[in-house]
Amino acid sequence: GGGNAPLYIIIGSNIGTCVTALISSLGASTNAKRAALIHFMFNLFGAVIFMIILVCWTGFADTVLAGIFPAERPGGIEATLQIATFHTLFNVVNALLFLPFIKVFVWLAEHIIPEKKKAEKKEDIFGDLDERLLRSPSVALGFLYQQTGKVFSFSMDTLTAAFGGFIAKDERVAHRVAEQNAELAEANKKGVSYLVKLSASPLVIEDEQTVSTLHYVLNDIVRIGELADNVTKYTRHYVEDELVFSDEFLEMTQAMFEKIKRLYALALEIFLQKDREKLSELDALEDEIDAARRVLVERHIKRLNEGRCQPQNASVFINLVGNLERAADHITFIAHSIE
């Protein structure tokens, strides 16, 4: 026989294919990198064990493989079968040897490739809009619809942070709001791009309507984020111009914002469940928010006319409650998009 020489090539080729998998996983997720590394370690350790066996047992090929497929003609079909058998044997023995140690491999992979730090890992708020889903347009649209609900929540979180910053006179919130707005803009771009691809697919009439609806909803979501950004500007004036607002007005504004939070929770439920029956409850709540804004503005103007309020105070305050009411309008539009 030809000895063990061809078998070393088989071992080398097994490691070679793992290296290619490792290289191709470089741009992939943390778990994909770990899977490629486990595959590499599995083959590398297996290669070491087989190399030791082949070095110590020089007659391995002639004894074991030739015993299964005796090669009467050098280079004949039996020699090919011997190589194929060794390839299978290598993988099966590896699997049996390392199956009990799989947790060790996972532990090693997790330590060699740690989880990305939160700061470095910009989690896409739209989740994974997998292009493969487009093969089933209806499923893809359903997934996009649910994910849009998450982006809506993210925009409300941005507005809540901005308003909390105003009440606390905390200018630092502006940085967080700006970052989240950048993420909202990116999510909008990604969502619209996905909707355009969906429009190119064959859709039933209901799905076509949903695609059109989501274009408007994404726009409303982005507007909520922009209004949150405006609120941070009013906070800057509040702090830097040393404005003073009465406790009564601040408490009334907070009560108005609590209603906006209730409006959002109801709108999200209506949007995700397409529950038309709750729209009348939503509209009643929006009317309360509009009324609260009117009362606040009227009282503020009265104080201004009586000389009990600085003009710059009025400008900031009227703009603040006006922006909050506009955010409530966009929240309401999102709920009514199901009609």
Side-chain angles (χ1 to χ4, degrees):
N4 292 338
L7 307 186
Y8 293 117
I9 297 166
I10 302 295
I11 293 171
S13 73
N14 265 284
I15 294 174
T17 54
C18 295
V19 171
T20 347
L22 268 177
I23 293 165
S24 66
S25 78
L26 288 177
S29 66
T30 302
N31 280 336
K33 285 178 187 166
R34 286 174 180 167
L37 182 63
I38 289 169
H39 185 215
F40 175 71
M41 289 190 293
F42 173 87
N43 279 278
L44 182 65
F45 292 137
V48 169
I49 289 168
F50 268 90
M51 290 283 277
I52 293 166
I53 292 168
L54 296 180
V55 167
C56 297
W57 187 358
T58 51
F60 179 86
D62 295 331
T63 310
V64 179
L65 298 178
I68 301 168
F69 295 108
E72 290 159 8
R73 299 183 308 279
I77 186 111
E78 294 83 1
T80 309
L81 285 169
Q82 284 178 21
I83 289 168
T85 304
F86 178 71
H87 196 268
T88 306
L89 193 70
F90 176 82
N91 286 296
V92 171
V93 171
N94 267 5
L96 293 173
L97 276 174
F98 296 121
L99 207 55
F101 303 104
I102 193 66
K103 285 185 179 174
V104 178
F105 281 110
V106 171
W107 182 86
L108 273 170
E110 284 174 350
H111 281 74
I112 294 168
I113 303 169
E115 196 65 60
K116 290 176 187 171
K117 287 178 190 167
K118 283 265 165 81
E120 294 166 12
K121 188 183 173 186
K122 274 278 184 190
E123 193 59 52
D124 188 345
I125 53 170
F126 233 133
D128 184 20
L129 291 179
D130 198 327
E131 298 292 312
R132 287 169 297 183
L133 273 178
L134 291 167
R135 292 173 199 161
S136 310
S138 208
V139 174
L141 186 59
F143 178 72
L144 182 69
Y145 195 92
Q146 292 298 314
Q147 292 303 103
T148 301
K150 290 182 183 176
V151 185
F152 179 25
S153 299
F154 190 80
S155 73
M156 186 61 198
D157 175 69
T158 309
L159 183 66
T160 306
F163 182 73
F166 182 87
I167 295 299
K169 295 174 77 170
D170 183 1
E171 286 188 88
R172 291 170 302 174
V173 171
H175 179 67
R176 174 185 163 187
V177 169
E179 278 194 338
Q180 292 192 192
N181 263 325
E183 289 180 64
L184 280 168
E186 192 55 40
N188 178 59
K189 192 172 149 191
K190 191 172 180 182
V192 168
S193 166
Y194 207 72
L195 284 169
V196 168
K197 286 173 188 169
L198 274 168
S199 298
S201 311
L203 295 168
V204 294
I205 189 74
E206 292 88 351
D207 285 351
E208 280 180 11
Q209 287 163 351
T210 303
V211 166
S212 177
T213 293
L214 286 179
H215 276 290
Y216 288 108
V217 168
L218 286 170
N219 185 56
D220 285 316
I221 288 169
V222 169
R223 291 291 299 125
I224 292 167
E226 288 169 356
L227 291 163
D229 189 57
N230 288 352
V231 171
T232 64
K233 293 186 176 83
Y234 306 137
T235 304
R236 194 175 71 241
H237 285 299
Y238 186 11
V239 175
E240 291 176 6
D241 299 344
E242 297 176 352
L243 306 180
V244 178
F245 296 107
S246 70
D247 290 342
E248 179 202 3
F249 278 110
L250 291 172
E251 282 163 19
M252 285 174 72
T253 312
Q254 282 175 281
M256 178 184 169
F257 195 76
E258 284 305 312
K259 286 183 178 177
I260 292 173
K261 288 205 283 191
R262 276 170 42 213
L263 184 83
Y264 150 74
L266 191 56
L268 181 66
E269 190 183 336
I270 290 167
F271 176 76
L272 291 177
Q273 295 173 10
K274 299 188 179 177
D275 188 349
R276 288 179 177 82
E277 288 178 16
K278 288 186 178 162
L279 283 170
S280 56
E281 185 188 340
L282 177 107
D283 291 339
L285 191 52
E286 196 211 2
D287 287 343
E288 284 181 37
I289 291 162
D290 290 349
R293 176 198 165 251
R294 270 196 309 276
V295 169
L296 277 162
V297 171
E298 282 165 10
R299 284 198 193 179
H300 217 70
I301 290 170
K302 190 181 176 194
R303 282 172 66 90
L304 182 67
N305 291 339
E306 290 169 356
R308 292 190 293 145
C309 175
Q310 295 287 323
Q312 63 265 37
N313 284 31
S315 171
V316 166
F317 194 81
I318 290 167
N319 278 316
L320 171 74
V321 292
N323 273 253
L324 293 179
E325 192 217 350
R326 280 163 62 200
D329 288 342
H330 289 289
I331 291 167
T332 305
F333 296 153
I334 291 168
H336 276 279
S337 72
I338 66 162
E339 289 180 309

